[in-house]
């Protein structure tokens, strides 16, 4: 009989054990399943953290500085509508002097179920003056002419479009520019309506409307904070009448531009092409930054932006914070060159200059009070319109009614297992 070596014995025992495990089935570990399990745990934890952050950001703090004690006191407030009769039990004193929870114009009372914004704004926010509106340097007098911000809507889905619009809103609000609203155009994946395939930002976000004209707090929309103008109005005022910007000499492009200022298509060969319009604005604008959300970050230092060596002074004082915020991205600094541009155009439709990032991850204000103000402005004034919130509130109200008497009421969570469009990015359940 041949004597088996130690490693042969181990191998033999391993094979017998494997057969035994396979026969019983439950004790065999599949490596791919194990990896999937680990990623699932990480994803769930990340989702919980994200939801907690969103809850704090939207429902809780109107904090004007880094008030840790204030945050801790706010967290003690129970904001679960299922446990409070379907209403957010938010401490009114934390909203700021003179403000209260906003309401929704609807044929049913749903405001307490889904409203999270302040309306009217707090006294502090109403009286806020951005430090980036005026040029404080003695060598440069303030240009009295209106300054504009134009941009190209993101080519992606709605949430990508929304994220980019929030960046434009903050830029316009912080720098005192009039935001040029793009012409109505097809939004990606939102063209199923056979009657009308062109949309505007006013179709989604709360905006000035007749029913708000007599409301003391204003429109309750983004145009309450920033001045806006349509592309057609901009062309009429600055090109057709004042001739501050000159149309191209080519008759074909002149015709396309005139046709695209009210409604345009994202096709170069269209007789009313958005692409031709975007290219024209980029050509005539005094400043066209080459920002990219994944490669760059924008630093806004209220103390040094108007100095020639402002970025050096900023880095001397805030280098650690800037480096931490940018996380390897190249910083751009708001300065006099950007300020002096009468027309600032953002080429965010282009792949090379796409701003696929949240405003609070792209723009860094060195003064946290300034940054917190603009976060509140996005929360309070870049919100969906009443015509969207009203039916949404009715659904929430109906679900809470169905759950009446149940332990914990009704709660829900959205877990995204990847991209809906690209199948290879989906994670199995």
């Amino acid at each position: 009989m041949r004597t088996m070596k130690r490693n042969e014995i181990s191998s033999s025992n391993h094979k017998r054990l494997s057969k035994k495990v396979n026969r019983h089935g439950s004790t065999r570990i599949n490596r791919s399943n194990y990896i999937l399990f680990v990623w699932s745990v990480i994803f769930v934890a990340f989702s919980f953290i994200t939801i907690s952050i969103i809850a704090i950001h939207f429902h809780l703090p109107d904090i004007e500085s880094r008030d840790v004690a204030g945050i801790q006191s706010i967290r003690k407030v129970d904001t679960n509508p299922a446990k409070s009769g379907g209403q957010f039990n938010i401490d009114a004193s934390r909203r700021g002097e003179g403000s209260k929870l906003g309401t929704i114009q609807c044929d049913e009372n749903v405001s307490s179920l889904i409203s999270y914004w302040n309306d009217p704004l707090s006294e502090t926010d109403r009286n806020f003056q951005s430090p980036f509106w005026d040029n404080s340097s003695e060598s440069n007098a303030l240009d009295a002419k209106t300054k504009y911000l134009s941009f190209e809507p993101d080519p992606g889905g709605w949430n990508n479009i929304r994220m980019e619009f929030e960046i434009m809103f903050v830029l316009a609000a912080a720098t005192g520019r009039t935001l040029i609203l793009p012409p109505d155009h097809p939004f990606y994946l939102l063209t199923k309506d056979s009657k009308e395939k062109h949309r505007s930002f006013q179709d989604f976000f709360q905006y000035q409307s007749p029913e708000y004209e007599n409301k003391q707090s204003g429109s309750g929309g983004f145009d309450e904070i920033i001045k806006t103008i349509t592309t057609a109005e901009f062309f009429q005022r600055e090109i057709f009448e004042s001739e501050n910007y000159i149309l191209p000499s080519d008759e074909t492009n002149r015709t396309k531009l005139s046709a695209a200022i009210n409604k345009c298509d994202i096709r170069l060969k269209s007789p009313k092409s958005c692409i031709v319009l975007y290219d024209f604005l980029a050509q005539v604008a005094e400043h066209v930054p080459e920002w990219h959300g994944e490669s760059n970050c924008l630093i806004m230092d209220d103390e040094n932006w108007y100095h020639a060596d402002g970025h050096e002074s900023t880095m001397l004082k805030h280098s650690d914070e800037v480096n931490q915020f940018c996380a390897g991205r190249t910083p751009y600094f708001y300065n006099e060159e950007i300020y002096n541009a009468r027309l600032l155009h953002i080429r965010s439709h282009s792949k090379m200059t796409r701003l696929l990032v949240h405003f609070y991850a792209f723009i860094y204000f060195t003064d946290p009070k300034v940054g917190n103000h603009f976060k509140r402005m996005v929360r309070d004034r870049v919100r969906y319109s009443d015509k969207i919130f009203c039916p949404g509130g009715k659904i929430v109200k109906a679900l809470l009614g169905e759950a009446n008497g149940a332990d914990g009421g009704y709660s829900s969570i959205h877990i995204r297992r990847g991209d809906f469009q690209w199948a290879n990015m989906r994670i199995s359940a």
Side-chain angles (χ1 to χ4, degrees), residues 13-264:
N13 289 338
H14 175 73
K15 290 178 181 178
R16 286 197 299 271
L17 179 60
S18 296
K19 290 179 181 179
K20 183 177 179 181
V21 169
N22 289 339
R23 192 164 53 249
H24 289 87
S26 61
T27 55
R28 187 179 184 184
I29 298 176
N30 184 291
R31 189 170 183 270
S32 62
N33 288 340
Y34 176 76
I35 294 174
L36 180 60
F37 171 78
V38 172
W39 277 111
S40 299
V41 171
I42 294 173
F43 182 78
V44 169
F46 176 79
S47 299
F48 177 80
I49 294 170
T50 302
I51 291 169
S52 300
I53 292 172
I54 291 173
I56 293 171
H57 173 66
F58 283 108
H59 297 305
L60 304 180
D62 278 352
I63 299 169
E64 294 155 14
S65 61
R66 292 190 177 112
D67 183 1
V68 177
I71 292 176
Q72 291 174 342
S73 68
I74 290 170
R75 284 175 176 165
K76 295 177 182 178
V77 178
D78 188 358
T79 60
N80 184 352
K83 295 180 180 179
S84 55
Q87 297 185 3
F88 284 115
N89 181 24
I90 301 174
D91 184 359
S93 65
R94 301 303 304 178
R95 290 193 166 275
E97 188 69 31
S99 70
K100 60 182 180 180
L101 185 67
T103 58
I104 299 165
Q105 292 201 358
C106 184
D107 55 356
E108 291 188 28
N109 182 15
V110 298
S111 297
S112 60
L113 300 178
I114 56 177
S115 174
Y116 55 79
W117 56 90
N118 282 359
D119 193 14
L121 299 175
S122 70
E123 185 178 335
T124 298
D125 285 334
R126 288 197 300 271
N127 296 328
F128 178 84
Q129 176 67 44
S130 174
F132 305 98
W133 281 22
D134 297 335
N135 186 350
S136 302
S137 66
E138 296 178 0
S139 60
N140 246 331
L142 176 64
D143 185 355
K145 291 183 178 179
T146 300
K147 290 183 170 68
Y148 298 98
L149 171 62
S150 59
F151 69 101
E152 305 168 10
D154 189 88
W158 167 247
N159 275 312
N160 300 153
I161 297 170
R162 175 188 57 80
M163 287 161 58
E164 183 223 34
F165 180 77
E166 290 176 348
I167 293 176
M168 300 306 138
F169 171 83
V170 172
L171 275 176
T175 61
R177 290 181 177 271
T178 296
L179 184 65
I180 302 175
L181 298 173
D184 292 6
H185 63 282
F187 282 17
Y188 182 55
L189 299 179
L190 294 177
T191 56
K192 300 300 183 182
D193 188 344
S194 59
K195 295 181 180 179
E196 184 54 80
K197 296 184 181 297
H198 294 71
R199 306 288 181 191
S200 69
F201 288 99
Q202 301 93 302
D203 289 331
F204 297 90
F205 294 122
Q206 186 71 10
Y207 189 71
Q208 183 68 49
S209 53
E211 61 264 28
Y212 278 92
E213 288 180 358
N214 298 320
K215 189 177 180 183
Q216 190 176 7
S217 59
S219 71
F222 65 86
D223 59 320
E224 186 181 328
I225 305 301
I226 60 174
K227 293 181 179 179
T228 63
I229 188 173
T230 66
T231 301
E233 290 170 338
F234 172 77
F235 266 68
Q236 185 64 37
R237 180 190 299 178
E238 299 293 340
I239 298 176
F240 299 146
E241 294 178 1
S242 304
E243 295 186 348
N244 289 322
Y245 302 99
I246 306 302
L247 287 169
S249 56
D250 178 69
E251 186 62 32
T252 302
N253 281 335
R254 288 169 68 99
T255 303
K256 281 190 174 183
L257 279 172
S258 298
I261 59 178
N262 287 300
K263 185 179 291 187
C264 64

Side-chain angles (χ1 to χ4, degrees), residues 331-400:
Y332 277 82
F333 296 84
Y334 181 77
N335 55 25
E336 278 197 323
E337 181 182 0
I338 301 175
Y339 169 84
N340 288 328
R342 180 114 192 277
L343 174 59
L344 173 64
H345 182 71
I346 310 297
R347 300 225 67 173
S348 41
H349 188 270
S350 171
K351 181 179 180 181
M352 301 304 295
T353 48
R354 194 178 182 191
L355 295 177
L356 191 57
V357 61
H358 290 290
F359 73 93
Y360 49 80
F362 178 70
I363 304 174
Y364 178 70
F365 295 95
T366 56
D367 184 346
K369 290 185 178 181
V370 176
N372 286 338
H373 168 80
F374 289 115
K375 287 176 183 177
R376 293 195 298 273
M377 291 305 96
V378 172
R379 180 198 63 188
D380 292 342
R381 290 299 177 264
V382 187
R383 66 169 180 90
Y384 291 125
S385 65
D386 286 356
K387 67 181 181 182
I388 292 176
F389 269 126
C390 179
K394 290 178 180 179
I395 294 172
V396 172
K397 187 176 182 179
L399 288 170
L400 288 171

